[in-house]
Structure formats: C-alpha cells, structure tokens
Amino acid sequence: MQTIYYDLRDTKGQQKEIEDKISAAAKILREGGLVALPTETVYGLGANGLDPEAVKRIFEVKGRPQDNPLILHVTGAQWLPRYCAEIPPIAYVLARKFWPGPLTMILKRQPLVPDATTAGLDTVGVRCPNHPVTLAIIREAGVPIAAPSANTSGRPSCTTAQDVMEDVGDAIEGVVDGGPCVVGVESTVLDLTCDPPRLLRPGGLPVEDMERLIGHIDVDKSIHGAKVDRPGAPGMKYRHYAPKAPVTVITGAPEASAREIERWLGPTSGVICFDEYAGRFAGHEVHPLGPCGDKQIQAQRLFDALRTFDGTGVTEIFAQCPDNHGLGLAINNRLKKAAGFHILEADSQRIILGLTGGTGAGKTSALDAIRGLGGLVVNCDEVYHQILSENEEFQDAINEKFPGVFNAQRQLNRQKLGKEVFAKKDRLDQLNAIVFRYLVPELEAKMQAAGDGLYAIDAINLLESGLDRLCDRTIAITAPTELRVRRIMARDGITEQYARLRISAQKADEYYRGKCDCELNNASDSPAEFQKDAKLFFEKLVDAIREEKRHGAAVNLGK
C-alpha cells in the first residue's frame, strides 16, 4: 500500500496547502481508510469510529486483541450526547476544565456506536485531543475518530510521525506529521459510570488535578499490576510498551535506585535513568529519562527511550522509576507495564516529609511531633547560612547578580541586599533562583550522607524552591485565621492590626491545600493537644509511605 505522508508541522505555512491536506486526510477517514494522527499525548491510528469495518482494520494493522476497547476522539463536549447516554453533570464539569486535553471519560454509549469500537461493552471512552491539526481533521470528517496509539500492539507508543512510519507506515493510507508529542504518555482514563469515579489508566492529566475539582477518585487495582478479565479501557489487561529486551524497573529514592542498578549491571545491560545519574553507567547504552524533578520531560522521553534500545545489542534494560505523584503515576505505570511488572525495590528506608504553611498555623508544633517520632528536622535557614558562609561559588553567584553586597572579606551586607530585593519582586525572584540552585542539592546531599530514617524539611519556600521534589509527601499546615492572629500576637508581642497585616501579606491556606499532598489543620487552642494530634497524623502517614515503598502503590490519605 502507498502511504500518503502529510507534513503539517508548520501550521502557519500556506493556508490553502494546509487546508487541502486536512481535507484529504478527512476524506480518507470518511471513506473507511486509516490515518495516523498527532495528538498532545501520542500519535493515534485513526478510523471512523462509527464504521465497524474501518475499526476492524485498526485491530488487524496493530495486531490488537479484539477485547481491548478503543477511544472516540471528538472536538468538544457538544458531541457527547451524540455518542453517549446517561451523561452525568460531572462529565461537563471535567470537560470545561480539561478539554481539549489528555482526559478520556468512560460513559454509557449510544446504540449507534458499534460493538467493534467498544469491544462489546455498553460503555465508550471519549476525549477531545489538544492538537489543532487533529481537531481540524475531525471537524472536516464530521465523525468521531477511533484512535488507539499508532504502534504495533505491545510496542512502545509512537511520539513522532517517524515512529509511526517504522511501525505501521506501509499498512495504512495516510500519516499526518504534526511534530513531536508534547505530553508523551497517553490520556488519563476516568470511569464516570460509577460513584466515586474510578481511575482506569493514569496518563497525561494527573489524578490530583481532577480530585481538586471533583473530589475523591478510586484507583483501579490493575494500575498496580492486578489482573483483569475484561478491560473497561485501553491498557488495562495486556502487556504494553515493551521493547525487545526485557525490562526491570527499580523503585525507590533516586540515589538508592541508581546504586541498585549498578549492582545488577552486566556487560550487555542498558539503562534508563534520571539525567543526574547518567554518568554512573559508563560503558553501557544509557538513555537519560530527564531530571529527577521534571516529570514533564520524563513523560516526553519515556517511549523514545524504550524504543531506541531495539537498534542496539542490549539484552536487558534496567530503568529508574519516578514516584507516584502527579505525572509520575503515569510514567511509573508505563515502565512497569513495559517490564511486565518485574520490579526490584531499592534498599532505602529514607522517608522525607516537607512541611509548609503560613505563620501562626502551628508548623513548629508539627515539627516537634516529628521529632517525637525520632525524625530529624532539616532547617533550610540553617543550611542556607552555612553555604552562604562556606561556599565561595554561591557567594560569587549572588555578588554577580547584586554587585557590592559582599565586602572584601566576603562578608554579606544583609541590609544592602535586603533593600535591593524587597523593593522589587523581580529582584527577590532572582535572589531566590540563586539560593534554590545551591540549597536543593546541598539538602539532598546532607540527607543522603545521614542515611535512612525519617526527615522533615522545614522551609518557608518549600514549594517554590523545588524542595518538594525531594519529599515523599508535602503537608500543608493550616489553621483558622482568628486562631493564627491570637497565636502571632502572643508569640511575637505585636498588635492585632500588625498580626493581621502579616497574615494578609502571605499566601492563603487555599494555595497550600492546592499544592500539597496532605493537609494537617490546627484548630486547637492548645499547642500540646495539636502536637499530640499531629503525632498520630504523622504515624499514619509514615506507615502509609512505607507500605507504598514496599508495594510500589500510592496510598491516598486525602487532603
């Protein structure tokens, strides 16, 4: 078959030429042909989702099992009533917030959606992709497009048109090149036919973002390796994303997992690792996944890393694995599926909690509760002052941006620096960027040197600095405003007016709730009583994290 290649990477080019290519691709789809389409997640192998014969060809070309349902791609929520029945209001709430985007909703189907598309289920998955070219093609075609990932079944998904050509290019009518995918992992699949909604597949939309909007979401056991008889969504039953060489996933803290990989490496082993550890595996085929703290880059690189080993002499692959927070859950899931859930746990019992919140909320009492559990509190202010006095490179970086704040003896003129940064927010941001660049690695090194155990990071700018990426959980310490006012007045000996002014100048509790993994609310008038409650809270949280580390599954304690 002669496959037509449509290059639409430059959507600002000749408008007539672009429209002609979009019309040609849409015509193929209307007439029952197959066209590979770009989306923000991965490339999809598209067919008219209402045409059973066209849909059957998707299964034939991919070698896809017949009981693995497909997803319909539409241009917006206005298409839902055409193909879905019994649509709950929450579907429109989610669509308004997250469409176009990497969210697939499972809903009851209308009779016109064929069994071939839904694998005989009475439900159908629907999503609106966030790619202008594909949205234009769907509008032009006038039909929903069934489009699983455009790879042969079981292989890593395609994130470029070149990947598509390699896998199925000679078996379909057209390939539309819309550039590399910006998300890099498939859409999140959420079942809305049950209450509470159930996560069937983690993907490009983190579950935490949805929970902030609609509340608690159950997580299907298949995400962590449990077997299912009949999948309700793509990716639930069969092994996926696998390169030719067997994969072993190493879970745990990055330093510990890197050490574990070094223990297992053989002469023909390949490695997928975080950028910071790539130099540890000299003499081996190494594909960096991205920085430890940047899961967006990790998601974009994941499938490319898995694919590129196929052209090498690598006979086994060891892969570092991010934690389950945010996009990490999707990356974690894809790696483990590629490995057939062959997982090794790195030998690390270090647990790091990050505490943040406004003044007067009770952070000091909460930290005392962690000390009561035998935990070590890492005070970021103390570490900052240490590197400020000892690290000449750090001093030079500050002096370069703020000339004259150090004297000839390398002593900092705090008053001069303070006048400079507190007068202009952009100057404070510049100072913080320098501080964070040196502070984060220093803290990480200190905890690694101290070994395993329970740690709490005490940092005013925990979230802004990137220190949260070191943490197993971040906790927002919150309290009613009136209690905070009384505490600050008593603690600092200031007036009520000044206490309220200090609180108003800080971020609201809602900011911390939205950014942190957990919330510990301090509504007690007694610091001793709150410390007692906090100790129980942290005992439960630490137990949950240990369980997660043992089994590789996130434990959700709620907000």
Side-chain angles (χ1 to χ4, degrees):
M1 178 183 295
Q2 181 64 43
T3 302
I4 303 174
Y5 175 81
Y6 302 97
D7 190 346
L8 284 170
R9 285 172 291 181
D10 181 12
T11 56
K12 297 179 182 178
Q14 295 295 321
Q15 193 60 35
K16 178 65 167 61
E17 182 182 348
I18 292 168
E19 290 174 357
D20 288 346
K21 290 177 179 177
I22 287 171
S23 294
K27 183 173 184 290
I28 292 172
L29 291 165
R30 278 197 308 271
E31 294 177 351
L34 303 186
V35 179
L37 301 168
T39 77
E40 78 282 23
T41 57
V42 298
Y43 272 72
L45 181 56
N48 178 354
L50 304 181
D51 181 344
E53 294 306 313
V55 169
K56 286 176 184 176
R57 279 197 58 215
I58 290 178
F59 288 89
E60 293 168 1
V61 168
K62 282 179 62 70
R64 183 183 178 94
Q66 294 292 323
D67 64 347
N68 202 1
L70 305 180
I71 293 169
L72 289 181
H73 292 66
V74 300
T75 62
Q78 73 276 8
W79 284 40
L80 286 177
R82 304 181 198 177
Y83 313 113
C84 305
E86 302 175 27
I87 305 168
I90 197 173
Y92 291 102
V93 172
L94 287 162
R96 279 194 298 272
K97 177 70 173 178
F98 299 119
W99 276 9
L103 171 63
T104 294
M105 295 185 285
I106 302 294
L107 299 162
K108 294 290 184 182
R109 65 159 165 153
Q110 293 283 12
L112 82 164
V113 180
D115 285 347
T117 298
T118 68
L121 298 173
D122 64 352
T123 57
V124 62
V126 186
R127 97 170 181 101
C128 175
N130 190 14
H131 197 292
V133 169
T134 293
L135 287 174
I137 290 171
I138 298 171
R139 290 191 192 97
E140 181 73 15
V143 294
I145 304 303
S149 54
N151 52 290
T152 50
S153 194
R155 287 209 73 205
S157 297
C158 300
T159 55
T160 67
Q162 289 67 40
D163 292 342
V164 177
M165 294 298 289
E166 178 184 313
D167 271 24
V168 300
D170 59 352
I172 62 178
E173 282 76 10
V175 174
V176 176
D177 189 345
C181 300
V182 297
V183 174
V185 292
E186 295 87 347
S187 63
T188 300
V189 179
L190 188 66
D191 187 353
L192 297 182
T193 66
C194 51
D195 187 21
R198 180 177 294 274
L199 182 71
L200 300 185
R201 182 180 74 183
L205 176 63
V207 67
E208 295 92 335
D209 292 357
M210 296 186 291
E211 285 190 318
R212 292 186 192 109
L213 182 68
I214 65 172
H216 176 72
I217 294 171
D218 283 342
V219 176
D220 196 87
K221 292 180 180 178
S222 65
I223 288 171
H224 303 299
K227 293 183 179 180
V228 295
D229 293 326
R230 194 176 190 192
M236 292 184 68
K237 182 177 180 181
Y238 298 96
R239 188 182 180 203
H240 285 269
Y241 322 116
K244 294 174 182 176
V247 178
T248 299
V249 169
I250 315 295
T251 62
E255 174 64 28
S257 61
R259 288 198 305 267
E260 190 72 11
I261 290 174
E262 287 178 311
R263 285 180 54 204
W264 287 91
L265 279 181
T268 57
S269 301
V271 179
I272 296 173
C273 64
F274 303 122
D275 289 3
E276 293 88 338
Y277 301 95
R280 299 268 283 266
F281 311 110
H284 293 83
E285 185 78 24
V286 176
H287 289 277
L289 190 59
C292 283
D294 197 330
K295 290 172 182 171
Q296 183 64 66
I297 291 179
Q298 293 168 26
Q300 291 170 350
R301 293 183 182 176
L302 174 62
F303 290 132
D304 184 57
L306 288 168
R307 278 181 162 268
T308 49
F309 283 105
D310 285 353
T312 70
V314 164
T315 59
E316 61 180 353
I317 301 165
F318 294 96
Q320 281 188 295
C321 191
D323 62 44
N324 278 326
H325 304 310
L327 265 180
L329 181 60
I331 302 164
N332 191 307
N333 172 260
R334 301 311 191 272
L335 278 171
K336 289 175 179 176
K337 280 185 172 290
F341 285 89
H342 183 222
I343 303 164
L344 292 177
E345 182 183 355
D347 183 18
S348 173
Q349 296 302 314
R350 185 185 301 122
I351 293 176
I352 303 174
L353 305 179
L355 274 64
T356 189
T359 184
K363 189 151 59 79
T364 299
S365 295
L367 290 166
D368 285 341
I370 290 174
R371 290 188 182 97
L373 294 173
L376 176 66
V377 173
V378 183
N379 187 304
C380 289
D381 280 344
E382 292 178 2
V383 177
Y384 162 71
H385 289 300
Q386 179 185 337
I387 60 175
L388 185 63
S389 64
E390 299 176 358
N391 190 320
E392 293 188 1
E393 184 181 327
F394 179 46
Q395 297 168 3
D396 291 341
I398 294 176
N399 205 44
E400 182 180 347
K401 186 63 69 173
F402 304 93
V405 297
F406 285 93
N407 62 22
Q409 289 74 43
R410 287 189 174 271
Q411 295 173 324
L412 177 66
N413 186 330
R414 299 180 190 280
Q415 187 174 9
K416 184 174 182 179
L417 181 61
K419 285 181 179 179
E420 176 77 17
V421 300
F422 291 119
K424 298 178 181 178
K425 184 180 182 303
D426 64 318
R427 295 293 276 167
L428 179 60
D429 291 341
Q430 290 169 6
L431 175 62
N432 282 338
I434 297 170
V435 172
F436 300 157
R437 190 165 76 242
Y438 287 86
L439 182 63
V440 173
E442 184 68 22
L443 283 168
E444 190 170 20
K446 281 183 175 296
M447 286 184 286
Q448 286 177 359
D452 292 340
L454 174 62
Y455 295 84
I457 295 179
D458 176 12
I460 295 173
N461 293 312
L462 178 79
L463 304 169
E464 297 83 352
S465 64
L467 285 167
D468 57 323
R469 74 172 176 81
L470 303 180
C471 302
D472 292 288
R473 291 290 190 280
T474 53
I475 300 99
I477 310 298
T478 62
T481 301
E482 295 307 312
L483 276 178
R484 290 175 63 192
V485 170
R486 293 203 299 271
R487 289 172 190 152
I488 297 169
M489 291 172 61
R491 183 189 70 195
D492 299 338
I494 60 176
T495 65
E496 178 181 344
Q497 182 181 8
Y498 189 41
R500 292 187 185 278
L501 186 64
R502 284 180 60 181
I503 289 173
S504 67
Q506 297 178 347
K507 293 181 173 66
D509 281 352
E510 193 57 41
Y511 169 83
Y512 297 108
R513 287 192 190 101
K515 297 285 187 180
C516 291
D517 300 311
C518 310
E519 178 183 2
L520 177 57
N521 184 258
N522 178 9
S524 174
D525 282 319
S526 166
E529 191 65 32
F530 173 61
Q531 189 172 327
K532 180 180 176 182
D533 293 340
K535 188 175 180 181
L536 291 172
F537 173 88
F538 290 125
E539 283 177 343
K540 182 180 178 183
L541 181 60
V542 168
D543 286 345
I545 294 170
R546 284 179 178 145
E547 185 73 11
E548 175 183 325
K549 286 177 180 288
R550 277 195 294 269
H551 300 290
V555 179
N556 184 6
L557 294 182
K559 293 270 183 172

